[in-house]
């Protein structure tokens, strides 16, 4: 998921003298997690999200409880939570995002195409497939696959949905899937970790990971955890826990229905690989 960039002056402050002091902000008596209270299936205030389960796994390793700072993942999320010192860890952040200091990535996933299971589009596996021409496709405004849709000349038939919303009052992912199911659209282009869990137990919908897209922007992303700039000791501790519990993290993600792919977004990650890590 794309997020707005931090103002350059604030980023510079975090990286300089101010950043040298932030390690003192980490509370070792609890795992303080910054999260969206209504970003299901990733995070939820009722604890049902797969990021909630990963947080519980890490907290158990540390022998401390999980404490949440809830804030909608819209503009100002990091500034109002992690940067403000109200919490110490964001469970899911795209690798390379400049708002945080990234840990090592703990999974890679991709955008997917969701279609009705009785549709003639179930064999489509790339966006340039002629079968998609003239079809009504749901797209997330500003998301990487939308650029591919535009390049292929299919935007006139697309239906856009909002990217940055307060999910306590809006549900664009649910709306996209309902529109496919109701025949309002023929397909939906969605981020796999959102779509996968939502269609996992719905036999009327089929999810197709996009593994054959070429040209920028890429549609797959490596997902890390985010800490404050300068907190290198805390980052190393998280990296160590990710490494030791990678198989358990993979199991949580697979159980949730998240499509896991290799680090280059070219093929699905085989389940046996988790046992070898």
């Amino acid at each position: 998921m794309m997020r707005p960039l931090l103002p350059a002056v604030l980023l510079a402050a975090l990286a300089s003298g101010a950043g040298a002091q932030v390690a003192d902000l980490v509370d070792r008596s609890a795992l303080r997690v910054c999260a969206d209270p209504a970003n299901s299936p990733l995070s939820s205030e009722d604890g049902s999200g797969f990021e909630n389960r990963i947080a519980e796994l890490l907290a158990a390793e540390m022998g401390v409880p999980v404490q949440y700072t809830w804030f909608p993942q819209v503009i100002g999320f990091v500034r109002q939570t992690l940067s403000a010192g109200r919490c110490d860890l964001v469970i899911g952040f795209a690798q390379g995002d400049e708002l945080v200091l990234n840990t090592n990535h703990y999974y890679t996933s991709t955008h997917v195409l969701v279609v009705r299971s009785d549709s003639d589009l179930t064999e489509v596996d790339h966006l340039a497939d002629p079968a998609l021409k003239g079809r009504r496709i749901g797209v997330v405004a500003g998301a990487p696959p939308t650029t591919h849709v535009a390049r292929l000349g299919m935007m006139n038939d697309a239906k856009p949905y909002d990217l940055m919303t307060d999910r306590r009052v809006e549900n664009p992912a649910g709306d996209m899937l309902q529109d496919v199911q109701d025949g309002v659209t023929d397909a939906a282009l969605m981020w796999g970790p959102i779509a996968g869990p939502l269609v996992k137990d719905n036999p009327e919908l089929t999810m197709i990971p996009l593994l054959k897209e070429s040209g920028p922007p890429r549609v797959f992303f490596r997902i890390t955890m985010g800490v404050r700039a300068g907190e290198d000791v805390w980052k190393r501790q998280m990296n160590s826990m990710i490494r030791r519990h990678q198989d358990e993290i993979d199991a949580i993600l697979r159980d949730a229905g998240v499509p896991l792919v290799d680090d280059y977004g070219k093929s699905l990650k085989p389940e046996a690989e988790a046992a070898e890590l």
Side-chain angles (χ1 to χ4, degrees):
M1 296 183 182
M2 301 301 293
R3 295 180 175 84
L5 293 177
L6 198 65
V9 64
L10 182 53
L11 185 62
L14 288 172
S16 62
Q21 301 173 24
V22 295
D24 293 338
L25 297 179
V26 177
D27 186 344
R28 304 290 176 167
S29 67
L31 179 61
R32 301 193 305 161
V33 175
C34 326
D36 188 319
N39 196 20
S40 183
L42 285 76
S43 64
S44 176
E45 197 165 4
D46 66 8
S48 61
F50 62 79
E51 290 184 354
N52 298 98
R53 294 176 61 191
I54 292 171
E56 293 289 346
L57 173 68
L58 299 177
E61 161 78 5
M62 296 169 63
V64 298
V66 179
Q67 291 181 0
Y68 284 101
T69 293
W70 300 110
F71 196 89
Q73 230 170 38
V74 294
I75 293 174
F77 172 74
V78 172
R79 175 171 51 83
Q80 295 286 349
T81 58
L82 189 68
S83 294
R86 298 170 61 195
C87 43
D88 303 315
L89 185 71
V90 182
I91 296 296
F93 237 91
Q95 186 180 64
D97 195 308
E98 296 181 28
L99 283 173
V100 302
L101 177 62
N102 297 108
T103 66
N104 293 341
H105 70 282
Y106 64 96
Y107 76 97
T108 305
S109 193
T110 188
H111 282 78
V112 301
L113 191 70
V114 179
V115 301
R116 284 181 58 94
S117 298
D118 60 2
S119 166
D120 62 347
L121 299 177
T122 54
E123 299 302 316
V124 170
D125 61 2
H126 62 290
L127 296 178
D129 192 308
L132 290 176
K133 287 291 186 181
R135 298 301 184 99
R136 183 83 159 149
I137 302 175
V139 299
V140 178
T146 305
T147 300
H148 292 265
V149 171
R151 185 184 299 123
L152 292 166
M154 300 190 295
M155 278 302 292
N156 285 341
D157 298 309
K159 180 179 179 181
Y161 300 79
D162 290 336
L163 172 64
M164 299 290 284
T165 62
D166 185 341
R167 291 171 179 83
R168 295 172 298 181
V169 295
E170 296 182 71
N171 183 19
D175 293 342
M176 292 182 78
L177 294 176
Q178 192 63 54
D179 281 350
V180 174
Q181 197 160 321
D182 293 344
V184 175
T185 55
D186 298 298
L189 270 171
M190 302 177 66
W191 175 229
I194 293 177
L198 294 179
V199 307
K200 178 186 175 187
D201 297 318
N202 187 342
E204 295 186 17
L205 297 175
T206 294
M207 179 185 73
I208 306 165
L210 295 175
L211 305 173
K212 298 182 178 181
E213 301 310 308
S214 59
R218 71 181 190 277
V219 298
F220 70 94
F221 290 91
R222 299 168 185 171
I223 303 302
T224 73
M225 298 180 193
V227 303
R228 279 179 293 273
E231 293 183 338
D232 295 312
V233 173
W234 180 231
K235 171 186 171 179
R236 287 194 293 271
Q237 183 177 348
M238 290 299 105
N239 284 343
S240 179
M241 285 199 286
I242 290 170
R243 183 176 62 254
R244 294 197 305 272
H245 294 282
Q246 185 66 66
D247 55 344
E248 295 161 271
I249 293 173
D250 279 2
I252 290 172
L253 295 169
R254 291 184 191 280
D255 182 65
V258 175
L260 301 180
V261 301
D262 66 31
D263 286 347
Y264 303 98
K266 297 300 184 184
S267 62
L268 293 175
K269 181 179 180 180
E271 291 195 40
E273 187 175 330
E276 297 170 0
L277 292 173

